[in-house]
Structures are given as C-alpha cells and as structure tokens.
Amino acid sequence: MAGRKLSRAGFASAVMDTLKTTAMLYMIVIGANVLNPFFAVTRIPALLGEGLQGRGLGPYGTLFAIIIAYVIMGMFMDGLSMLVILVPIVFPVVTALGFDPIWFGVVAVIVVEMGMITPPVGVNVFVVQGVAGDVPLKTVFSGFMPFLFAMLVGLLLIILFPQIALIIPNTMFG
C-alpha cells in the first residue's frame, strides 16, 4: 500500500490466493492425521521397514533406497506432502538402523529439495519459470543443475560425516 499500487481487486485476489493455499496445506495436514492412524492399525510402516531390512541392503543401502524414493516423489509432489506421507513410513526404519533422527531430518530436507528441482517435473523449477516469464523451461532446468550437483555433494558429505549436520544441535543441547 505504500506505493499505492495495490488495488482493491488486487488485494482481494491476494487474499483469495492465500486462502486457497492455506486450505490446501490444511487438507494435507488433515489427510496426514487420517493416514497416520491407518498406518498404525495396518502396520504398513513396520511391514515396509521389515521388507527393506529383509532385503539385506544394510543400513546405507536402505538409506540409499529411501533417498531414491524421496527424489522420485519430489519430481511430482511438493515437499510438505512428501514429508507427511513418507516420514511415518521411513522414520521407524531409519531409527531402527541406528541413524540419528536429527541427522535424518537434515538428510530428508536436502533430498526433498533435490527432488523438487529434478526433471522431468521439478515443482520448484516451474515456480521459477512462472516468475521468469519468457525464459524457456529448458534454460531454467539447466540453470538448476549446478544447484542439484552442489546439493548432491553436500548430501554425500553429510552422509559420510554425520557430525556436520549434528554439530549445532550437539553444541546447543549436548
């Protein structure tokens, strides 16, 4: 309003867009609250965990399978939906394998963001392309590749040296 460029119609449109986005996020959270008791009753996470562990992949092989699942889902879904759907399934597996829960949270966030800039869909790429306007989608995807590579290197370092992700929590609360 300071520049007087926001009209009443623009303000009403912004409020409606905010309401739509908020309603969508609440529906995801409500859906998760319905889904989680279903998971508890059906024991799906435990069965999937046993299935993953029964494959003989070992801790890091299982972690790699979980990371691949996150990246694939990230190609087609937003981050909150992925976390709401996958964390109840994979968290018990990850903790049973002896990985630190805080460390896994850091890994999950990195992998979710990697998935959201990965072709063919990469939700965040479409957001940037929408803002950029006339920039071709191919150019936007190629612009994201250095970031994807940097995230992959960072993820590898955090997997090899977990203390990188845990130094602040251990310093503050340890």
Side-chain angles (χ1 to χ4, degrees), residues 52-53 58-63 66 90-100:
L52 273 173
Q53 290 174 332
Y60 288 98
T62 304
L63 179 67
I66 291 169
V90 301
F91 187 75
V93 174
V94 168
T95 54
L97 291 171
F99 292 116
D100 186 279

Side-chain angles (χ1 to χ4, degrees), residues 154-172:
L155 178 66
L156 184 61
L157 287 172
I158 287 174
I159 290 172
L160 292 174
F161 306 103
Q163 59 272 25
I164 294 172
L166 298 173
I167 193 165
I168 293 174
N170 287 341
T171 305
M172 291 179 66

Side-chain angles (χ1 to χ4, degrees), residues 25-89:
L25 291 173
Y26 271 109
M27 291 305 293
I28 291 170
V29 170
I30 290 167
N33 285 330
V34 169
L35 191 62
N36 287 340
F38 170 76
F39 281 155
V41 170
T42 60
R43 298 193 60 239
I44 289 175
L47 294 173
L48 285 173
E50 291 168 9
L52 273 173
Q53 290 174 332
R55 295 236 180 253
L57 299 174
Y60 288 98
T62 304
L63 179 67
F64 181 72
I66 291 169
I67 288 172
I68 294 300
Y70 267 109
V71 170
I72 290 171
M73 286 181 73
M75 293 178 188
F76 306 102
M77 298 175 71
D78 68 290
L80 179 63
S81 300
M82 281 191 304
L83 290 173
V84 165
I85 291 170
L86 276 184
V87 166
I89 295 171

